[in-house]
Amino acid sequence: MLVFIDDSGDPGFKFNKGSTKFFVISLVIFDDELEAEKTAVAIKDLKRTLNFPDDMEFKFFRSSNNVRKEFLQTVNFFKFRVRSLVIDKTLVRSEELRGNKNSFYAYAIKTVLKYSDKTVSSAKIKIDGSGDRIFRKSFLSYLKRELSSGHKPIIQNCKIVNSSGNVLIQMADMIAGSVRRSYDISKKDHFVYKSIIKKHIEDEIWGKLVPNA
C-alpha cells in the first residue's frame, strides 16, 4: 500500500491576517504499486500534452480552472482511494494546537491516518516536505511512535519528500485543494473539482476529532 499525503490551507490561526478557516489533509492511497506507476506516467504525459516543462510542478492554487479539470480527469481513470481530514480551525480550542503550527500539522496527519477505519495498514507513506512547516526528525519519530505499534501497524515506513520531484505528491496537492475548495461556497467553482473524482473519495473526516484535543 502506497500513501501520498499533502495539505491545503495553512496551519495558522491569525484569521485577521489571512489564515484560512479550513485546513485539509488528504491521503491518496494506492493498493497496487503498478497502478501508482501508471498514474505517475499519465501525469507526466499530461505535462507534455500541456507543453509544460518537465520540472513544472502541479499545484492546485497556482493552476487555472482548465488545468485543474484536465489533471483530475486524467487521474480519474486510475484506481486509488482518497481519505481527507477537514478542520474548521475556528472550532479548535487546544492552546497547544493553536499556538504551535508544527504540533497542529503533526496532530492532523496522525489523526487522518489513525481514524482510517483500518483501511490504511502497513503503508509506505510519503509526505510533502517542501518548505519549513515540517520539523522532520521529530515529526517522523512522532508518527512512528503513534502509528507503528500494534498487531497491524499503520505505517511500514514514512518518508518526507520534495513535491517538485514527485508527481503523486503533486496529485495529493491537487486533490487536497479540490476538497478544500468544495467548502469555500463563495467561489463559483466550489463544486466543480471534487465532483470529478467523487468515486474515489472513501471518506472525509470532519474536524470534530480535533477541536478539544
Side-chain angles (χ1 to χ4, degrees):
M1 183 181 294
L2 300 178
V3 179
F4 299 86
I5 304 177
D6 208 346
D7 59 87
S8 181
D10 68 84
F13 287 81
K14 296 180 180 179
F15 301 112
N16 59 339
K17 294 185 178 180
S19 292
T20 59
K21 179 181 180 183
F22 292 102
F23 183 74
V24 172
I25 297 280
S26 287
L27 312 181
V28 175
I29 305 163
F30 290 94
D31 296 301
D32 184 327
E33 291 193 26
L34 180 58
E35 196 71 9
E37 291 174 12
K38 290 178 181 178
T39 308
V41 169
I43 294 170
K44 291 173 183 176
D45 287 343
L46 176 62
K47 284 187 183 182
R48 297 185 182 100
T49 299
L50 295 173
N51 293 316
F52 291 162
D54 287 341
D55 61 354
M56 193 282 303
E57 186 174 356
F58 283 107
K59 287 280 192 183
F60 183 87
F61 285 96
R62 292 181 195 165
S63 300
S64 68
N65 294 353
N66 286 337
V67 167
R68 292 168 182 166
K69 286 187 279 189
E70 287 197 52
F71 183 97
L72 296 169
Q73 288 163 353
T74 295
V75 301
N76 195 43
F77 288 102
F78 299 94
K79 293 179 182 178
F80 61 92
R81 299 182 282 125
V82 175
R83 300 185 67 86
S84 298
L85 171 65
V86 181
I87 301 172
D88 180 346
K89 294 186 298 179
T90 63
L91 302 178
V92 176
R93 297 290 173 259
S94 167
E95 291 300 321
E96 171 64 19
L97 298 184
R98 290 179 69 90
N100 187 319
K101 291 182 180 181
N102 286 336
S103 293
F104 176 78
Y105 185 81
Y107 188 88
I109 293 278
K110 181 199 77 170
T111 299
V112 72
L113 286 167
K114 186 174 183 179
Y115 296 98
S116 65
D117 292 329
K118 298 181 180 180
T119 64
V120 179
S121 63
S122 299
K124 299 174 183 177
I125 295 173
K126 294 186 178 180
I127 303 173
D128 177 28
S130 58
D132 59 0
R133 64 192 170 183
I134 300 177
F135 43 110
R136 298 182 180 277
K137 266 192 177 179
S138 59
F139 171 66
L140 290 177
S141 296
Y142 168 78
L143 286 185
K144 288 174 183 176
R145 183 175 66 251
E146 294 288 328
L147 302 172
S148 296
S149 60
H151 179 63
K152 287 190 72 175
I154 293 170
I155 295 176
Q156 183 182 126
N157 61 62
C158 184
K159 295 180 181 179
I160 297 171
V161 299
N162 194 322
S163 60
S164 63
N166 190 305
V167 294
L168 296 178
I169 288 288
Q170 295 171 33
M171 177 179 170
D173 175 277
M174 295 291 281
I175 288 175
S178 299
V179 172
R180 187 164 78 87
R181 177 57 61 90
S182 71
Y183 288 90
D184 189 352
I185 59 174
S186 67
K187 302 288 188 181
K188 291 182 179 179
D189 62 348
H190 74 274
F191 61 92
V192 172
Y193 310 112
K194 193 170 76 173
S195 66
I196 296 173
I197 53 163
K198 63 182 179 181
K199 69 180 182 182
H200 300 280
I201 296 175
E202 193 170 74
D203 196 13
E204 278 181 29
I205 307 169
W206 188 242
K208 290 177 183 177
L209 295 169
V210 175
N212 296 318

